[in-house]
Amino acid sequence: MRQTAIAICRKLQDAGHEALFAGGVVRDRLLGKESDDIDIATSATPEQIEALFDKSYAIGKHFGVVLIEENNLHFEIATFRSDGGYSDGRRPDAVFFTNKKEDALRRDFTCNALFWDPIAEQIYDYVNGQQDITDGILRFVGDAETRINEDFLRILRAVRFKNTLGFAYGDKLETALQKHASLVGQVAAERVKAELEKMLLDISRIGAISDLERLKILSIVLPEVAALRQIPDAHRDRDVLAHTLDCIEFLPAKNDAILLWALLLHDTGKAETLTRKGDRNHFPQHEIASEKIAKQVTRRLKFSRFETDKIAWLCKQHIPFYQTLQMTRSHRLHFFDHPFFEDLIRLCRCDALADDGNDSLVQQIEAEYHAARESRLLPQFHPDLLDGDAIMQLTRLAAGSKIGELKYTLRQEQIAGNITTVEAAETWLKQQITSEENPSE
């Protein structure tokens, strides 16, 4: 990747243009990190870029961005530019092709406004970005409020970069973020979701969520989660948001976004189900309320149907999970057979550890699950012995609820291990019909 990117810069430079690595890859290099996310900035116009490379795609030609393919790898090459006004709080009204200094001055943070020439091995820094990286300080390029008003998403990006980089907020930055927090409400849902997801997926996720809450941003993007700060947990001297963050902290650093979202939302229903009995707080059926809230949040943030369904299911089932061993064998095996059950184990382990540090019940249920799976007892290993058509032929009943009832009951008997062959299923079915036709016998 890097060698191909260097070759691209060399080709542009040999043609008489400036060509530099830009942004995050330069920052990461100064931090001693390797990055394959390489953006290239150049003095060449989009037309000149297209003329130099056989495989090019003008994905953002109006903004001076061309996508090229070299050695089966894709790179975005952007012409140095300055921006006009930002009337919509997202995109510049106009762009003007310019030089690298003007391009640096229109970028968001000083640590992201650096250029590096990989041929001459020279850094170009017009914003004191190198010093800010050395000092571990996050600053906007120029005036913070101006940068925020150009693109409201920069409020969330500031929180993410500060935490993922392990930096501190620069002078007046926190004040500006809190002052303009409400502007995030005007950002497109898809952009908000993507930015929040990047925070959740990073090991610094707890710090990022805590900053969002402290700076009054969480109440704008996720008011359902922010509301948990006011809800006392069951019998402990902490609130439900603290418990939620503890849950997330027990999740290993590298994890999938859906599970993280489910953990973040799994107890949101406690805000509307809180009751007090004796010396304890209770949250009757809060998992049902959490499922409803999870659907509202994920639909608002434009999650896919699959993501919404999975997150909502995990929220709803995190309380029934703890009653697994009290279920009938058939019910338990059906529960084990759900495609999201292993993720439910992971969620409930975090929940239990965050509650009292004891996940022994989760371990016991997990052992039962794996034993059932290894013994091929799960329904997925046992197709229906008789389908609806076969039941109608044997019983001579018309399609309807009675057929569905017989099919369901037969399936339960099969899962329970009471009926294991087609012949036994047919015999059982005939007995059911006979008993209904002759109830007194």
Side-chain angles (χ1 to χ4, degrees), residues 386 391 405-413 418-419 421-435:
L386 297 175
I391 293 173
E405 179 184 331
L406 288 170
K407 184 178 178 182
Y408 174 79
T409 307
L410 173 59
R411 181 64 173 168
Q412 301 311 302
E413 292 292 319
N418 299 328
I419 299 175
T421 66
V422 173
E423 292 75 14
E426 292 174 344
T427 299
W428 175 87
L429 195 58
K430 291 174 182 176
Q431 290 173 345
Q432 297 299 306
I433 298 301
T434 300
S435 64

Side-chain angles (χ1 to χ4, degrees), residues 153 155-157 159-160 164 184 187-202 204-206 208-209 211-213 217-225 248 257 260-261 264-265 297 300-301 303:
L153 187 69
I155 295 170
L156 293 179
R157 284 170 59 83
V159 174
R160 175 166 66 86
T164 58
V184 180
V187 178
E190 296 89 345
R191 299 181 79 208
V192 172
K193 181 214 173 190
E195 201 62 38
L196 291 174
E197 208 155 272
K198 290 175 183 177
M199 293 185 205
L200 287 173
L201 287 169
D202 193 80
S204 65
R205 58 181 72 110
I206 302 301
I209 297 170
D211 278 4
L212 291 175
E213 198 263 337
I217 302 168
L218 191 63
S219 61
I220 305 299
V221 293
L222 290 171
E224 301 85 354
V225 177
I248 293 174
L260 284 157
W261 279 106
L264 189 63
L265 300 173
V297 171
R300 184 177 74 237
L301 293 180
F303 281 65

Side-chain angles (χ1 to χ4, degrees), residues 33 90 95 113 123 150 152 194 198 200 216 249 251 261-262 293 308 318 346-347 360 364 405 437:
K33 302 176 182 177
R90 177 180 180 181
V95 300
I123 287 181
E150 288 173 347
F152 304 151
K198 290 175 183 177
L200 287 173
K216 311 303 180 185
E249 199 159 20
L251 203 62
W261 279 106
I293 291 170
T308 292
H318 84 275
R346 296 162 69 196
L347 183 147
S360 58
Q364 189 176 353
E405 179 184 331
E437 292 175 346

Side-chain angles (χ1 to χ4, degrees), residues 57-130:
Y57 313 89
I59 59 171
K61 199 169 183 177
H62 175 71
F63 296 100
V65 180
V66 176
L67 179 73
I68 69 161
E69 181 180 335
E70 288 281 291
N71 299 330
N72 297 316
L73 299 170
H74 293 90
F75 297 87
E76 286 188 7
I77 304 179
T79 304
F80 297 139
R81 76 172 205 242
S82 62
D83 298 336
Y86 286 73
S87 58
D88 66 352
R90 177 180 180 181
R91 298 182 182 89
D93 299 327
V95 300
F96 309 94
F97 297 148
T98 182
N99 55 59
K100 58 182 178 292
K101 180 177 180 179
E102 291 299 316
D103 189 283
L105 294 177
R106 60 101 187 166
R107 292 178 179 255
D108 54 6
F109 305 105
T110 60
C111 62
N112 294 338
L114 301 171
F115 298 108
W116 181 58
D117 184 338
I119 311 302
E121 297 190 350
Q122 179 178 352
I123 287 181
Y124 295 93
D125 180 3
Y126 302 100
V127 295
N128 204 38
Q130 294 179 87

